[in-house]
Amino acid sequence: MPMHILRTDWLRAWLLGCAALVLVACGGGGGGGSDGGDGSGEVPPPAADFLDDPALDALGFTSFESGPVRPLALSADGATLLAANTPDNRLEIYDVSGAAPALRASVPVGLEPVAVALRGSSEAWVVNHLSDSVSIVDLAAMPPRVKQTLWVGDEPRDIVFAGTGREYAFVTTAHRGQNAPFDPQLKTPGIGRADVWVFDAASPGAGAGTPAKILTLFGDTPRPLAVTPDRKTVYAGIHFSGNRSTVLFNDALAGGLDKPGPQASADGVEQPVTGLIVKYDGERWLDSGDPENGEPPRDWSERVRFELPDYDVFPIDAATLETGTPVAGVGTTLFAMAVRPGSGELFVGHLEARNEVRFEGSGERSTTVRGHFAESRIAVVDGSGAVRQRHLNKHIASYDAPLGTEAERALSLAMPSALAFSADGATLYVAAFGSQALGVFDAAKLADDSFVRGGDMIALSAGGPGGLALDAGRGRLYVLTRFDNGLSVVDTARRSEVAHVRMHNPEPAIVVAGRPFLYDAKLGSSRGDSACAGCHIFGDMDHLAWDLGIPEDSVAESPNAYGPTNRFQQRPSFHPMKGPMTTQSLRGLAGNGPMHWRGDRTGVSRDADESIEEQAFEDFNVAFVSLLGRESELSSEQIDAFARFALEIRYPPNPIANLDHSLSADQAAGREFFMTRQVDGGNTCNDCHRIDAAAGDFGTSSLQSAEGPIIDEDFKIPHFRNLYQKVGRFGSTGNPNDGEPQMGPQIRGFGFQHEGVASTVEEFLSAALFLFPDDQTRLQVESFVLALSGELAPIVGQQVSYSALTAAEPGIDERVALLVERALVTAPRPECDLVVKGVFGGQARGYVMNAQARFLPDRAAGEVLDLTALLALAAEEGNVATFTCVPPGSGARIGVDRDADGVLDGDESSV
């Protein structure tokens, strides 16, 4: 559950102090009716009735761990710095004319803002990752405010302005979401899964906006954008690009694949029948061979019935809004891009995964990725589309030694998450998210690979540098440091940090304390270039499969309990050569039992005061040595801090589900079958994949499943909360004589099931052991589970701005009503709290809605309003109100007491 700070005495004092509401409003705020009530013509209930309001009962925080994308923007005159305060849902406006940034204003925007771009000097556009929105902020108004909220696709990430007059705004989003005006075609092969929404910047459309065009790119979720100096071309980068690797299906009944050695564990037990990762080299699909025993890679091309073009970067003509020829082979996971002034070359910061290499561990009997599973790189793309790869840590002479040196660790840069060029293009600054440092490179030498690592780093006082803004005229570089939610000022001539300030941060101490263990490569590895975030990108997945068995280990017994199905013989053991398995998310671990696909992080050694999940996560400590290449495991205090941080991370709302939580006819029929009909050995789907939102169950009973003869290992029953993220891999990698067709170009190399071999949920449900009456029912169950909500209802994050300019626009009143409706839902669980932030009569105001649909103000002398009165107030000239559904339990903090200090926001001397 999210961390909560229990209701403090200020709430009771404030509410009791306003008891005069029975007869007359407490004053302030305006807009109420002349009857002295709330504008509805009714006398509001006594304030004491509000004391047990869920909206006022706690000041909570929900951790999403959204990664910063473009969190800083600097005004043309260098006097104003804008910063996206991701955990606090704010745009912070700083005066940077002095020695250190001085906070000038703070503007509430949407949930999890990750990018900001300036349009001229008076307007900023803020991308809200969780709210699926863009906040247009009027910087010239006093106080600055959101004047319009645009609805966009799911999980937007970056924004730039382009065109000769910067007339278009480009926003990257996933190809899905409740605000998208199209069917995402989740079951259709060959569909791009990355979108760029383009708005006319001067006229983005009335109400919630209307895009001039939505471009669909043949990739899997976009992230970074870059613009050429002439503003004529925009480059869009694919975040989860992949690397032309996939996995071969291995049918245990068919005798298995002739895989490279070794063939057995250290105690002589033959490896289970598992899949095999292969990678396309431009001509053939090859395995990694067994170099330790002289076995060369083998060609498996006849088994792969699809293509992976691996498009990474798409050029977009900013005048015609048409895409050009995409560039392939840039990197596995793309973070940041920048165009070099003068040369026009595109530099891309990324990770290159080595998942085609089998096994972790010492490598005494096999290959190993220990300490070298991914490389931090810069790709240089020239005008012809040719790609040159540059390893940022080429000072590491060899990865053959089991441990790196202190000298290597001191120079390493991990996870290049932001790039900035000097005005003349001579120098490139690289923010290394996992290194608490900036890299400084001679751009020409980086481009031709003649650079030599040495004194080209700037140390920072805080970790997680995830955003850069360069003031070339004053020789300043501003850096957002995510670990402490702060801002650093760097003197570029002296190459040193000269000032540091922290933004307001509502995160609990356990989140702040535990975050470095996910990202800090110097803490996590002996060479300083590897961290858990190399696979668990911002606490989620890299969308790849890895074969991370350890041939040097022996078979271990499993203590895990099994589910109700007893059709097949149970195999309660864990073989150390487990085969390929897709990366799992760190989201939503709390309450879901043992971890890993097989449940082999069992948590059985937990202390009396620990949950099974906390100890199960701590069981991963061995990976710091066997995978990351650290000299020793983390201390018990360190791994405990990491576990507590990880258990706070939540899944975002499901972008496939309807915002009102209703089901389509097919989804309803699928749910009925799922919950009530026997499908597997006398059991319903729900007997194993338990769904009970009130109990926090979203597809798993946390028990083991006996998998039968086709799959040679037993697995923990998986949850369903992120199935929509796995769409895009279509085509067979099974028996080449099975008659399966060639599917052509596809987005992903890995799909559903533990190995990622299934193209769709329907394909998984087509297994002979599942007894469906017909194909239609199977498709209905697939539709239901794809739209399954997790910890948060689909309405969470959604928002709408209401003002004289938007009030009469289609869909605005309906969206406001929907937000109110969902905020009043309490069963089977509360769906959201509803807050309102805006400017009324020239004053910044905030409200939180209570259980009687009345809006309680952010000041002790404020007036309680009903919806009618609030909308009337917002519609007055010069006023604006933005309604946002926020996670349950966080309404009071976000709406009326930002710092949870017992003094309402409107009564603070400054906010």
Side-chain angles (χ1 to χ4, degrees):
M1 298 295 291
M3 292 295 295
H4 286 148
I5 304 171
L6 296 178
R7 182 178 62 210
T8 51
D9 291 341
W10 70 266
L11 285 171
R12 183 174 297 274
W14 166 48
L15 292 170
L16 292 176
C18 284
L21 281 169
V22 177
L23 300 175
V24 62
C26 286
S34 58
D35 60 1
D38 58 11
S40 64
E42 301 176 359
V43 177
D49 289 353
F50 299 143
L51 286 175
D52 296 320
D53 243 335
L56 296 177
D57 189 48
L59 300 169
F61 180 84
T62 302
S63 179
F64 296 106
E65 201 56 23
S66 303
V69 181
R70 188 184 300 270
L72 299 178
L74 186 67
S75 62
D77 62 6
T80 302
L81 179 71
L82 307 182
N85 187 340
T86 302
D88 199 34
N89 318 311
R90 299 263 181 153
L91 176 67
E92 312 289 12
I93 303 173
Y94 287 92
D95 181 339
V96 289
S97 59
L103 185 63
R104 194 170 70 207
S106 183
V107 182
V109 288
L111 299 190
E112 302 288 294
V114 295
V116 57
L118 273 162
R119 178 174 175 262
S121 60
S122 61
E123 190 172 280
W125 290 39
V126 181
V127 173
N128 305 307
H129 184 63
L130 198 86
S131 285
D132 298 349
S133 67
V134 174
S135 300
I136 301 180
V137 179
D138 186 345
L139 300 173
M142 292 301 292
R145 77 230 17 211
V146 173
K147 65 179 182 180
Q148 188 176 8
T149 298
L150 308 180
W151 300 339
V152 295
D154 186 44
E155 297 186 347
R157 284 180 165 86
D158 203 1
I159 182 169
V160 296
F161 292 99
T164 53
R166 296 167 58 90
E167 60 266 28
Y168 287 116
F170 296 78
V171 181
T172 51
T173 86
H175 185 73
R176 57 184 182 242
Q178 294 92 342
N179 297 325
F182 52 75
D183 177 359
Q185 297 176 276
L186 298 180
K187 308 169 191 177
T188 305
I191 298 294
R193 301 294 163 188
D195 288 346
V196 177
W197 288 51
V198 186
F199 290 90
D200 182 322
S203 259
T210 302
K213 193 169 188 178
I214 300 176
L215 301 168
T216 298
L217 313 178
F218 201 77
D220 187 7
T221 308
R223 175 180 158 104
L225 293 166
V227 185
T228 55
D230 62 7
R231 296 279 163 183
K232 292 182 178 180
T233 302
V234 174
Y235 293 103
I238 301 302
H239 190 20
F240 302 117
S241 169
N243 59 1
R244 289 185 170 177
S245 63
T246 190
V247 63
L248 306 180
F249 174 62
N250 199 353
D251 186 344
L253 287 176
L257 299 170
D258 181 18
K259 297 168 60 174
Q263 304 297 335
S265 59
D267 54 347
V269 180
E270 185 176 355
Q271 65 180 325
V273 177
T274 65
L276 179 67
I277 293 174
V278 294
K279 187 172 182 178
Y280 190 64
D281 71 348
E283 296 181 357
R284 302 167 298 168
W285 291 91
L286 301 176
D287 64 30
S288 61
D290 182 12
E292 300 300 310
N293 296 300
E295 293 185 40
R298 281 174 284 182
D299 185 359
W300 299 90
S301 299
E302 65 177 0
R303 293 180 64 104
V304 182
R305 261 69 58 77
F306 57 88
E307 302 168 30
L308 290 178
D310 188 31
Y311 295 141
D312 296 292
V313 175
F314 293 78
I316 302 170
D317 187 309
T320 65
L321 304 185
E322 298 294 332
T323 57
T325 303
V327 181
V330 175
T332 305
T333 307
L334 276 55
F335 293 109
M337 303 192 302
V339 178
R340 183 186 176 196
S343 73
E345 296 164 308
L346 179 70
F347 285 57
V348 185
H350 68 96
L351 291 179
E352 186 65 25
R354 303 180 69 242
N355 65 313
E356 75 277 8
V357 180
R358 301 173 73 200
F359 306 127
E360 59 177 294
S362 68
E364 294 174 2
R365 303 180 60 233
S366 65
T367 56
T368 180
V369 294
R370 178 186 179 186
H372 190 203
F373 64 88
E375 294 182 357
S376 292
R377 296 184 181 182
I378 298 290
V380 183
V381 184
D382 65 23
S384 69
V387 180
R388 289 165 283 163
Q389 293 289 352
R390 303 295 178 244
H391 185 193
L392 287 179
N393 299 312
K394 69 176 186 176
H395 64 281
I396 299 175
S398 172
Y399 286 95
D400 292 337
L403 297 175
T405 67
E406 191 57 44
E408 288 175 334
R409 179 159 53 185
L411 291 178
S412 289
L413 296 170
M415 202 170 169
S417 59
L419 308 178
F421 278 104
S422 60
D424 60 4
T427 303
L428 176 66
Y429 298 95
V430 179
F433 199 83
S435 302
Q436 198 165 322
L438 305 180
V440 185
F441 292 89
D442 181 308
K445 290 182 178 180
L446 182 61
D448 65 19
D449 207 22
S450 63
F451 71 99
V452 177
R453 292 303 309 279
D456 53 354
M457 296 175 68
I458 300 173
L460 300 171
S461 59
L468 300 173
L470 179 64
D471 184 347
R474 299 172 65 196
R476 284 186 170 189
L477 182 64
Y478 299 98
V479 187
L480 182 138
T481 54
R482 184 62 186 89
F483 287 8
D484 71 338
N485 208 37
L487 298 170
S488 289
V489 183
V490 169
D491 184 314
T492 58
R494 293 163 50 190
R495 292 194 176 182
S496 64
E497 182 182 280
V498 295
H500 187 80
V501 299
R502 292 182 180 178
M503 296 184 285
H504 177 69
N505 190 358
E507 293 175 320
I510 59 171
V511 171
V512 177
R515 177 173 288 118
F517 298 104
L518 175 60
Y519 302 101
D520 192 332
K522 286 182 167 56
L523 173 67
S525 63
S526 63
R527 293 186 176 89
D529 66 337
S530 299
C532 299
C535 290
H536 298 285
I537 310 297
F538 295 113
D540 196 22
M541 308 178 292
D542 60 4
H543 299 265
L544 302 173
W546 298 77
D547 190 343
L548 297 180
I550 305 179
E552 295 79 25
D553 284 357
S554 300
V555 174
E557 293 184 2
S558 168
N560 295 337
Y562 278 73
T565 299
N566 294 304
R567 184 186 303 184
F568 304 115
Q569 180 181 358
Q570 296 176 0
R571 290 166 288 200
S573 63
F574 303 126
H575 196 287
M577 299 167 66
K578 56 191 176 182
M581 296 185 187
T582 56
T583 302
Q584 293 185 299
S585 180
L586 300 188
R587 297 169 170 175
L589 297 177
N592 283 274
M595 297 180 188
H596 256 183
W597 279 105
R598 300 186 303 175
D600 52 25
R601 297 297 185 258
T602 64
V604 295
S605 64
R606 67 188 183 277
D607 295 331
D609 62 346
E610 284 186 312
S611 67
I612 192 171
E613 293 84 10
E614 184 175 348
Q615 181 57 53
F617 191 89
E618 292 174 6
D619 290 346
F620 284 105
N621 204 351
V622 294
F624 278 92
V625 175
S626 64
L627 178 57
L628 296 185
R630 197 176 191 269
E631 186 174 7
S632 61
E633 296 180 6
L634 298 180
S635 69
S636 59
E637 293 79 13
Q638 289 173 323
I639 192 63
D640 183 65
F642 190 10
R644 290 173 181 269
F645 158 76
L647 291 174
E648 288 297 310
I649 305 174
R650 295 290 175 265
Y651 275 103
N654 188 311
I656 308 303
N658 291 329
L659 291 178
D660 65 358
H661 237 154
S662 64
L663 299 178
S664 68
D666 279 342
Q667 290 166 353
R671 185 185 189 282
E672 175 67 19
F673 184 90
F674 186 99
M675 302 297 289
T676 65
R677 297 284 296 277
Q678 294 181 358
V679 69
D680 178 13
N683 299 292
T684 68
C685 299
N686 193 64
D687 287 332
C688 291
H689 294 279
R690 191 164 57 218
I691 295 175
D692 183 346
D697 297 325
F698 305 105
T700 178
S701 61
S702 301
L703 300 172
Q704 295 289 114
S705 172
E707 297 294 339
I710 295 178
I711 298 176
D712 209 18
E713 300 174 275
D714 287 351
F715 285 81
K716 176 190 166 184
I717 298 166
H719 68 88
F720 290 155
R721 289 167 292 181
N722 64 346
L723 293 180
Y724 64 88
Q725 289 181 286
K726 297 177 177 288
V727 172
R729 191 271 202 192
F730 294 87
S732 174
T733 60
N735 186 332
N737 301 313
D738 60 11
E740 293 292 331
Q742 172 60 245
M743 298 298 292
Q746 299 301 321
I747 298 295
R748 299 163 51 91
F750 305 95
F752 298 89
Q753 292 183 258
H754 65 281
E755 293 179 315
V757 296
S759 296
T760 61
V761 175
E762 179 196 6
E763 182 178 321
F764 168 75
L765 295 175
S766 297
L769 59 92
F770 296 126
L771 304 178
F772 285 90
D774 49 51
D775 291 342
Q776 181 183 5
T777 302
R778 187 180 295 108
L779 289 170
Q780 289 170 338
V781 171
E782 178 185 43
S783 294
F784 166 61
V785 298
L786 282 171
L788 180 69
S789 292
E791 293 97 331
L792 297 173
I795 199 66
V796 170
Q798 295 297 312
Q799 56 178 181
V800 60
S801 289
Y802 196 96
S803 68
L805 297 176
T806 66
E809 296 300 325
I812 299 300
D813 282 333
E814 291 83 352
R815 181 60 63 94
V816 170
L818 177 63
L819 300 184
V820 171
E821 170 195 299
R822 305 322 298 174
L824 292 173
V825 172
T826 58
R829 53 176 174 159
E831 291 199 7
C832 72
D833 293 348
L834 182 57
V835 302
V836 179
K837 306 296 284 190
V839 174
F840 301 145
Q843 293 184 326
R845 297 300 307 271
Y847 293 84
V848 58
M849 193 184 83
N850 72 359
Q852 286 76 40
R854 297 179 184 274
F855 292 84
L856 310 182
D858 64 349
R859 56 196 64 191
E863 183 178 9
V864 177
L865 304 174
D866 70 1
L867 180 61
T868 301
L870 184 59
L871 293 180
L873 183 62
E876 292 179 8
E877 193 66 31
N879 291 353
V880 62
T882 298
F883 293 74
T884 307
C885 267
V886 302
S890 62
R893 174 181 60 81
I894 296 176
V896 297
D897 187 12
R898 178 190 186 190
D899 54 10
D901 66 348
V903 179
L904 294 172
D905 289 343
D907 297 328
E908 298 270 15
S909 58
S910 62
V911 177

